[in-house]
C-alpha cells in the first residue's frame, strides 16, 4: 500500500485566490502576492490554516482504503520542498537529484486555484531539472527535466467545475474527494506537456497578455511575437491580446475565439494574437473587427515594445517589461485521473 501526502498551500503562498472561496485573505483579490496570515484578520487567518472539508474527506477516503495518509500545510517553498523530497529516487552515480518512478509515496495537491498547482509543479521542476553543465545521457533530447512525479489534484472550489472552470475541470479530472483518492490509488497516469519560460517559472494552462482599463476599454499594446520561425507581428501592430496556450484556459476572450485547438498532450504550444482592423461601412461609419493570427510550434518569444505589458499566467497577474520566451516540455508532468 502507498504512503500518500495531501499537500495544502498555506496563507503565505504567492498564489492568487489562495482561500479558494473569494474571501478576503490569501491573495483572494487576484494579485500575484498573497497576504501573510499575520496581516489577515484573525478569523480569516484561522480559516486559511484550518483543513478544508474536502481535505478531511479525502484523508478519510484514503485511510479507509488502507493508505498511510498525512495532511501537510506548506507555508513556504522550503516546506513544499520537504514534501517533494519524499519522491526522490536513491542516489545516482552522477549525484543528480532524480524522481523515483517506483516510489511508494504519492502526492495530492489541494488546489484553491491553478496558481497553487503551478507553485508545486514549479518546485518539482526546480528540484529535478539538472544544470545544463550536468545534463545526463538518459534525459530526452527535447526535455530539460525528467518525467516529473504524478500529482493528484483535489480542487477546493466546487463552483469552478462549471462557472470559471479551473484546469482540473478542463482536464476532466475527478473533483469528489473519494474519487480523487481512488484515482491516486488505482487510476491511470496521464502525462501532460509543460511550458517552461526563461523567467524561471512554468505554465500549466496558458498565458494571456493584454488588459483593459477600469471602464472595460482595451489597452492596446505593441510587441514582437514569434513562434518558432513564424512572426505573428513584428511589433508595429496594436494588439488587443496575445494568448499562449498549453490547455484551453485562454482560448476565448469576451467571445472572441483566440486558440482553436489547444491540447496539453500534443507537444506544441498554440499562440494567437488579436489585431484590431478598422473598416468602414457603406454609410461611412467606422467599425472595428479583430483579425486573429495563429501559429503552433515548440517555442514562443514575446518582445514588448511598450514599457509594461500586463498579463495573466495560470491566473497570476504580472507585467512584462522585457523579452520572455516559453518552450514546450512534452509529457514533462503528470496527473492521476479516473
Amino acid at each position: 500500500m502507498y504512503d500518500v501526502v495531501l499537500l495544502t498551500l498555506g496563507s503565505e503562498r504567492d498564489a492568487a485566490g489562495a482561500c479558494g472561496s473569494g474571501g478576503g485573505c490569501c491573495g483572494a483579490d487576484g494579485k500575484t502576492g498573497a497576504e501573510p496570515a499575520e496581516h489577515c484578520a484573525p478569523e480569516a487567518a484561522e480559516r486559511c490554516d484550518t483543513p478544508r472539508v474536502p481535505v478531511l474527506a479525502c484523508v478519510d477516503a484514503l485511510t479507509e482504503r488502507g493508505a498511510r495518509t498525512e495532511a501537510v500545510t506548506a507555508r513556504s517553498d522550503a516546506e513544499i520542498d520537504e514534501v517533494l523530497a519524499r519522491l526522490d529516487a536513491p542516489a545516482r552515480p552522477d549525484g543528480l537529484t532524480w524522481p523515483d518512478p517506483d516510489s511508494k509515496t504519492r502526492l495530492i495537491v489541494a488546489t484553491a486555484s491553478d496558481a497553487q498547482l503551478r507553485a508545486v509543479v514549479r518546485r518539482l521542476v526546480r528540484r529535478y531539472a539538472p544544470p545544463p553543465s550536468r545534463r545526463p545521457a538518459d534525459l530526452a533530447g527535447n526535455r530539460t527535466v525528467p518525467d516529473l512525479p504524478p500529482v493528484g489534484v483535489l480542487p477546493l472550489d466546487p463552483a469552478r467545475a462549471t462557472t470559471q472552470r479551473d484546469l482540473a475541470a478542463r482536464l476532466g479530472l475527478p473533483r469528489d474527494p473519494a474519487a480523487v483518492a481512488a484515482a491516486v490509488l488505482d487510476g491511470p497516469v496521464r502525462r501532460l506537456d509543460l511550458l517552461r519560460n526563461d523567467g524561471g517559472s512554468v505554465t500549466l494552462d496558458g498565458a494571456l497578455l493584454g488588459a483593459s482599463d477600469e471602464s472595460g476599454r482595451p489597452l492596446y499594446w505593441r510587441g514582437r511575437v514569434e513562434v518558432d520561425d513564424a512572426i505573428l507581428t513584428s511589433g508595429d501592430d496594436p494588439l488587443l491580446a496575445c494568448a499562449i496556450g498549453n490547455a484551453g484556459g485562454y482560448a476565448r476572450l469576451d467571445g472572441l475565439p483566440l486558440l482553436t485547438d489547444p491540447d496539453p498532450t500534443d507537444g506544441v504550444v498554440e499562440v494567437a494574437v488579436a489585431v484590431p482592423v478598422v473598416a468602414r461601412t457603406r454609410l461611412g461609419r467606422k467599425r472595428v473587427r479583430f483579425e486573429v493570427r495563429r501559429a503552433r510550434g515548440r517555442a514562443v518569444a514575446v518582445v514588448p515594445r511598450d514599457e509594461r505589458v500586463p498579463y495573466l499566467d495560470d491566473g497570476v497577474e504580472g507585467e512584462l517589461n522585457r523579452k520572455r520566451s516559453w518552450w514546450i516540455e512534452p509529457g514533462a508532468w503528470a496527473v492521476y485521473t479516473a
Side-chain angles (χ1 to χ4, degrees):
M1 185 48 66
Y2 297 105
D3 295 317
V4 181
V5 182
L6 208 165
L7 176 63
T8 303
L9 300 194
S11 53
E12 286 88 350
R13 290 301 314 150
D14 57 338
C19 286
S21 56
C25 68
C26 307
D29 60 354
K31 300 298 183 183
T32 303
E35 190 72 10
E38 60 266 25
H39 296 161
C40 297
E43 64 275 11
E46 182 179 355
R47 285 199 304 271
C48 290
D49 295 332
T50 301
R52 299 279 293 272
V53 171
V55 172
L56 299 175
C58 192
V59 168
D60 289 343
L62 290 163
T63 303
E64 289 175 3
R65 292 285 307 275
R68 295 177 293 270
T69 308
E70 180 182 0
V72 176
T73 299
R75 298 175 179 85
S76 67
D77 285 342
E79 292 182 351
I80 295 176
D81 293 344
E82 288 179 8
V83 171
L84 302 184
R86 308 185 196 189
L87 307 174
D88 290 355
R92 288 168 53 108
D94 56 14
L96 293 174
T97 302
W98 218 246
D100 185 357
D102 300 317
S103 175
K104 295 301 181 183
T105 298
R106 299 199 163 182
L107 175 65
I108 299 176
V109 181
T111 61
S113 67
D114 292 342
Q116 291 189 328
L117 180 59
R118 183 184 77 157
V120 175
V121 176
R122 183 174 64 231
R123 298 312 301 176
L124 282 169
V125 169
R126 293 194 178 190
R127 183 168 193 83
Y128 296 123
S133 61
R134 299 178 61 195
R135 181 183 178 88
D138 57 343
L139 184 61
N142 60 353
R143 294 263 291 275
T144 64
V145 294
D147 285 353
L148 299 177
V151 176
V153 181
L154 175 63
L156 295 178
D157 191 345
R160 300 193 69 190
T162 55
T163 54
Q164 296 178 330
R165 289 165 59 84
D166 55 20
L167 183 59
R170 287 189 289 278
L171 295 176
L173 301 182
R175 304 184 74 88
D176 177 76
V180 173
V184 170
L185 296 178
D186 302 321
V189 170
R190 183 184 180 192
R191 300 217 65 87
L192 301 166
D193 301 334
L194 177 69
L195 281 173
R196 293 194 67 185
N197 68 59
D198 56 5
S201 191
V202 300
T203 302
L204 308 181
D205 189 351
L208 181 67
L209 286 74
S212 57
D213 63 18
E214 295 180 354
S215 301
R217 293 185 295 267
L219 300 173
Y220 294 113
W221 57 280
R222 284 177 168 82
R224 179 184 176 91
V225 180
E226 188 172 358
V227 183
D228 291 351
D229 296 327
I231 299 175
L232 294 182
T233 174
S234 62
D236 296 327
D237 303 301
L239 299 178
L240 171 68
C242 172
I244 299 169
N246 187 31
Y250 300 110
R252 301 180 70 86
L253 177 63
D254 294 333
L256 177 68
L258 297 176
L259 307 176
T260 58
D261 190 25
D263 181 352
T265 64
D266 63 2
V268 295
V269 57
E270 183 177 357
V271 183
V273 296
V275 182
V277 177
V278 178
R280 290 189 178 275
T281 67
R282 292 182 178 180
L283 298 178
R285 296 175 181 174
K286 291 184 178 179
R287 182 172 62 88
V288 177
R289 63 177 180 86
F290 291 98
E291 173 188 326
V292 179
R293 306 168 187 168
R294 303 180 179 92
R296 298 163 65 85
R298 288 287 311 280
V300 53
V302 179
V303 184
R305 286 198 172 181
D306 294 352
E307 184 176 354
R308 290 181 177 86
V309 177
Y311 69 86
L312 287 172
D313 193 326
D314 282 345
V316 178
E317 294 181 2
E319 287 186 339
L320 197 64
N321 55 17
R322 65 184 67 182
K323 180 181 178 180
R324 175 63 49 84
S325 297
W326 289 259
W327 67 90
I328 203 80
E329 300 266 339
W333 74 295
V335 292
Y336 294 106
T337 186

